[in-house]
Amino acid sequence: MNNQNSLNTFKFIAHRIGIDTHKHVVVYMQTNNPICRSEGFRSEAKVKVSRNSKWIIATLFVITSDILKTDEIGLSESAWEKLEVEEGQEVIVSHAEQLESFRFIRAKLFGKSFTESSFKTIMNDMVEGYYSDVQLSSFITACVDLTRKETIYLTKAMSETGRRIKWDHDHIVDKHCVGGLPGNRTSMIVVPILAAHGLTIPKTSSRAITSPSGTADTMEVIAPVDLNVDQMKKVVNKENGCIVWGGSVDLSPVDDVLVQIERALDLDSSKQLVASVLSKKLAAGSTDIIIDIPIGPTAKVRTKRAAKYLSSLFKSVGDAMDLNLDIVMTDGTQPVGRGIGPVLEARDVLAVLRGDKSAPQDLKERSLFLASKLMEFCCPHTPEEAAKTARFILESGQAFKKFEAICEAQGGMREPQLADHTFVITAKTAGMVNSIDNRLIARVAKFAGAPDSPAAGVDLHTPLGVFVEKDQPLFTIYATSKGELANALHYYDSHPEVIELGEMV
Amino acid sequence: MNNQNSLNTFKFIAHRIGIDTHKHVVVYMQTNNPICRSEGFRSEAKVKVSRNSKWIIATLFVITSDILKTDEIGLSESAWEKLEVEEGQEVIVSHAEQLESFRFIRAKLFGKSFTESSFKTIMNDMVEGYYSDVQLSSFITACVDLTRKETIYLTKAMSETGRRIKWDHDHIVDKHCVGGLPGNRTSMIVVPILAAHGLTIPKTSSRAITSPSGTADTMEVIAPVDLNVDQMKKVVNKENGCIVWGGSVDLSPVDDVLVQIERALDLDSSKQLVASVLSKKLAAGSTDIIIDIPIGPTAKVRTKRAAKYLSSLFKSVGDAMDLNLDIVMTDGTQPVGRGIGPVLEARDVLAVLRGDKSAPQDLKERSLFLASKLMEFCCPHTPEEAAKTARFILESGQAFKKFEAICEAQGGMREPQLADHTFVITAKTAGMVNSIDNRLIARVAKFAGAPDSPAAGVDLHTPLGVFVEKDQPLFTIYATSKGELANALHYYDSHPEVIELGEMV
C-alpha cells in the first residue's frame, strides 16, 4: 500500500482517551494544530500515526472542547492497541494517501471481476486495518454480486489472512450450523461421539453476537474455551476433539472485520456467508465437513428454495477447495432442546450426554443424526451402521466419558448453576402450540441477561404441536437480578406472539 | 420509519463532549450502565436519544476512561446540534430498530429496481440523519449500477429534500462546471454579463472541499456570500443575478450528506454526479442550464469518451426533468487564469471585468464563450450575435458595473489583499512548458494555506506551450506565514513534476 506521499509530518503526544470505537481505528486532535491547518484536515480525514517502525492508518475526529491539549493526540482503544504506544510517548502524524487496493472494488463496480490476487491484496489491507468502515461497507455491498469463481477466490484469500493449522491426520472432521435456532448446541454432543469413535474433530465455535448464547458461551459454563492454537492442538492430540472459542485461535481474522459491518448493514449475502464459513474451516485444516441448514419461518434460512441455493453454493466452493463437504437440511421451526441461555443450554447438553430420562429428545436425535452423517461421510459405514454406532457411543456413556476428558484437557470441568430469580409464563387459554418465534424468544432471554449473565435465559416447557390447558406453564424466565427479570417480562408483555396457541375447535 | 420497538428506555444527563464527528451523529456512554448491560449495547450500536418530542438516531461509542460519568451521555457536535439540548438536561435513551427504508437498497442489490417512491423514502430518512455512514456507503455503492430511469427518480427525490425556490420569471439561467480545473472562476464573469443583458441568473456556488478554492470562497474575498434564500431573492430581483454560497440556501441538502461519503470512497459515479448537480438546479428553480465539462489528463473528466457518456446522461435526465440543458466540452489540460487560491483568483476575475491589459485572456475567452452559449440558448440570438453581445457587455464595462451592483446588493464590495510571504519558483533548464498537473499545483496552493488563508496560493506565470529560459519564473507561491511557505516549498521540492518542461531539440 502506498500510504505516505506527503513529506509533511508533525509530532504529537500520545494519550489514551479511553473511547472504545470497536474495530474502528480512530484518533482525536484539537482543531487548531499545525497539521489540521496545513493539510486542511477535518473530521473523518484519514491520517497515518507512527512511532518508530510501527504505524496505523486512523480516522480523525476533531475535538473542540478541552479534553485534549493542542499537542496531544487521543487514541481510541483499538488505535492504542494497534500502535502499541505508551502514555505520553511522541508519535508522528502525517497525511494518509488514498488506499491503493480500493481500486479493485471500484473496478468491480464498473464491470470488472475480482481476481485471486486482487482479493489477496484487499484482504491484507483489511487485516492491517487500512479499510475504514465506509470502505468495508462498499466492499460488502459490491460482494453481493460475486460470481461463483469470485466467491472461491474470496474464500481462499480470507482463509490466508491469519493462521493455518496443520494436522498429522488425513481426515479432519467438522460440522457447522448456519444458525438462527436458539438452543441448538449439537456440537457439544457430536464432538465427543466422533472423538470417542476415533475421528479428529477440532471444533472452534463462536460466542454470541446478537443471540442469547453461542456454542463457546455454553461450553464455557462447563470448561474453559479460551485456548490458543498450541493448547488446542494439545487437547486434540490427546482426546481427538475439542470445543474451543474460535476468537482466540486467529483463523480467517478478516472475517471478524467484515462480519461487524455486515451486521450493521443487516445485509445477508449467501456468498459472504459461504466465504466466511469455509475460510475458517480451511484455516482450521478441516477436510470433511457437514453443513447444517435449518429451515423455518423465523430461522436464518426461511425457505427450501433459499436453502437449496445456499447448499449449491457451499458445494461448489467446497469442491474448488478440495473439501469433502455435505449438506443436511433440518427443521428450523422452533428452538432446539429446552434451555435458551448458556447455563440452561449446558444443562440440556449434559442431560443428553448423561442419558437422563428428562433429556430433550430433539437435541439428542439431531446430534445423533449429524454424528452419523459425518461417520457415513468419512468412515466405511453404511447409513444403518453409522446410525447404530453413533447411538451406541452416546447411550453407552462413552460420549460422556469423552466429553469429561475433553473438558479436563481444556482446563477442568465444572457444574453450571441456574439463576435465582424466576418467573413462570402460563397459557392464557387452552390450545395447541402453533408457533414459537425463534427471534422473539431469543430476545426475552437476552432481556433476562443472557449471555452476559450465563445463568439467565428462558426454559421452554412446551414444544410445537403440544396441547396445553389454560394456566399450564409455557416457559420459565431465569435472571440473576430482579431488574433484569422485570425487563424480560416487560418485553414479553408487549410481544405475546412469542408463543402462539391455536384456537379450540 | 419504525425505529422504536423495545419498551426499555433509560434516562441520562446530556453532556456536550466537544467531539466534532462531522455529519456523523455520535453519542458516548460508559460501559457499565443499565442500558448497555440489558440491551447488550456495544460500540457502533444504534441508539435513539430523545428529549420531549425531539429525537435523534445516533451511533454509540463506549467509553472506558473517566471522561464521562455513568449517568452521563456525551453528544458529538452534530448530535448536540440536532437534538437541541442544553448541558445537564435529561434525555431518554432507547434501542433503535433497524432502518426500514434500507430494505429498498437490499432489494436493489438482489436484482430489483429502485422506484420513485422508494428513493423518496430513502432520501427523507437520510436528511433526518437515520442513515449511518456504512449504510450511506452501501447506498452509494449500489447506485453505481443505476439505470437512466433510476437516475431520473433519484434526481427528483434529491431535489425534493430541501427548499425549492420559485421565481416569477419564465427563464432562470444557470451554468455549472463539472470541475477539476484550478482557477476556473468563469461564473463570476458570466453572471454579471448575463444579468446585465437582462437574464435572471441566481448562481449558487460551493466552497472548496478538497481544492484550494471554490467559487464561493473566491467571491467571498470581494463580497459576502452567506445569504439565505430571502436575501438571495432580494438581490436577484434587484440585479437579475447573484453569486452566493449554496450551503446556506438549503437546496437538495441530502446531496451534502452523500458527497461526504462519496469523497471518503473516492467513488466517482456519473449517475451520482448528474443527480447531485441537477437536483440542486431543480431545487433552485433553474430552467435553462449549460453544463461545462473540461477534458484533460488531470481534470475530473479525462477522456472525450467519458465526457460523451456523461453528456448523454446529463441530457436524458435534464429532458425528463423538463430542463433546457446543453453541454459544452472545454479544454481541461491546465489551470484557468493565473491565480490559484481565493484572493489570487479574485484578482484575475477583477482584471477581466475591469478590462485590464494584464487580464488573463483564457479566463476572459472562456467566460465569453459560456455567456454567449447561454444567450444563444435562451435568447433569439444567432451564435454570432450572441458572441458579439457578450463581448460588448464585458468590454464596455457594463458587466463590471453589474458585478459591482451585485456585490453591493450582497452586502458591499471590498478589494482583496495578497499575502506577504512569497517565493518564486524558476525554471531549472530552458524548454517548452509541456504539462501542468492540475492536481499537484492545487496541492502546492493548499500547502501554502489556501483556502483557509484566502490570500495564500499560487500564481502561475507560464501557461502550456510557452518557451521559458533557464531561471525564468514559473510560478510564485504566496503564504501568510513562513511556516506555510516552507510547507508548500517542501511539497514542491518532492514533486517537481508539477510543471514539466520539454527537452531542447
Side-chain angles (χ1 to χ4, degrees), chain B residues 60-98:
Chain B
L60 171 68
F61 281 164
V62 161
I63 302 269
T64 54
S65 71
D66 55 2
I67 55 178
L68 280 177
K69 298 194 193 98
T70 317
D71 62 347
E72 277 181 338
I73 182 166
L75 279 77
S76 72
E77 293 300 282
S78 54
W80 190 260
E81 250 172 55
K82 287 201 78 156
L83 192 57
E84 294 177 14
V85 72
E86 277 169 47
E87 189 69 38
Q89 281 184 338
E90 204 173 74
V91 296
I92 306 285
V93 182
S94 60
H95 185 261
E97 284 295 318
Q98 191 61 34

Side-chain angles (χ1 to χ4, degrees), chain A residues 94-346:
Chain A
S94 59
H95 185 261
E97 284 296 318
Q98 192 60 32
L99 188 66
E100 265 289 320
S101 67
F102 196 80
R103 72 189 153 93
F104 298 125
I105 296 160
R106 236 175 266 128
K108 166 73 182 173
L109 293 172
F110 289 103
K112 278 204 166 184
S113 294
F114 286 115
T115 63
E116 199 169 336
S117 78
S118 64
F119 270 133
K120 270 186 199 164
T121 315
I122 293 169
M123 294 298 118
N124 284 337
D125 280 352
M126 284 182 181
V127 167
E128 291 295 331
Y130 300 153
Y131 272 68
S132 65
D133 283 2
V134 296
Q135 288 169 326
L136 288 169
S137 169
S138 184
F139 173 77
I140 286 161
T141 306
C143 279
V144 171
D145 195 32
L146 293 188
T147 63
R148 293 218 166 190
K149 207 168 177 182
E150 288 174 314
T151 310
I152 292 164
Y153 293 154
L154 174 63
T155 308
K156 213 169 156 213
M158 286 175 73
S159 76
E160 286 166 0
T161 54
R163 252 192 104 140
R164 300 199 67 154
I165 308 180
K166 293 234 184 309
W167 301 95
D168 300 329
H169 311 271
D170 283 347
H171 291 278
I172 304 298
V173 180
D174 207 341
K175 68 158 280 284
H176 183 89
C177 177
V178 160
L181 290 195
N184 195 10
R185 298 291 155 245
T186 52
S187 292
M188 290 169 68
I189 301 164
V190 171
V191 167
I193 293 176
L194 295 181
H197 193 54
L199 291 168
T200 308
I201 181 162
K203 184 93 192 83
T204 59
S205 299
S206 53
R207 292 188 186 279
I209 304 166
T210 55
S211 72
S213 186
T215 293
D217 299 307
T218 301
M219 183 66 186
E220 197 172 34
V221 300
I222 310 182
V225 293
D226 287 358
L227 279 66
N228 63 30
V229 174
D230 295 330
Q231 293 168 324
M232 168 189 164
K233 282 185 101 166
K234 228 166 146 182
V235 173
V236 175
N237 285 334
K238 186 157 178 266
E239 302 297 347
N240 300 335
C242 69
I243 302 151
V244 301
W245 177 46
S248 44
V249 294
D250 193 37
L251 303 175
S252 185
V254 77
D255 187 50
D256 304 335
V257 176
L258 293 171
V259 157
Q260 186 209 342
I261 306 294
E262 280 162 35
R263 193 164 312 117
L265 290 175
D266 195 15
L267 196 59
D268 263 333
S269 145
S270 313
K271 288 114 180 190
Q272 202 71 52
L273 173 66
V274 168
S276 161
V277 170
L278 293 188
S279 67
K280 292 220 184 250
K281 301 299 172 203
L282 276 170
S286 308
T287 58
D288 301 76
I289 304 162
I290 292 272
I291 305 286
D292 175 10
I293 306 181
I295 308 168
T298 57
K300 185 153 188 173
V301 175
R302 300 186 184 204
T303 63
K304 195 134 192 184
R305 196 165 149 253
K308 276 187 178 162
Y309 173 72
L310 188 59
S311 163
S312 91
L313 200 59
F314 262 116
K315 278 191 180 158
S316 48
V317 177
D319 280 352
M321 299 284 138
D322 279 332
L323 295 169
N324 278 324
L325 186 147
D326 211 355
I327 310 283
V328 293
M329 296 184 196
T330 55
D331 174 26
T333 52
Q334 60 181 328
V336 179
R338 289 194 204 101
I340 299 170
V343 166
L344 286 154
E345 294 171 7

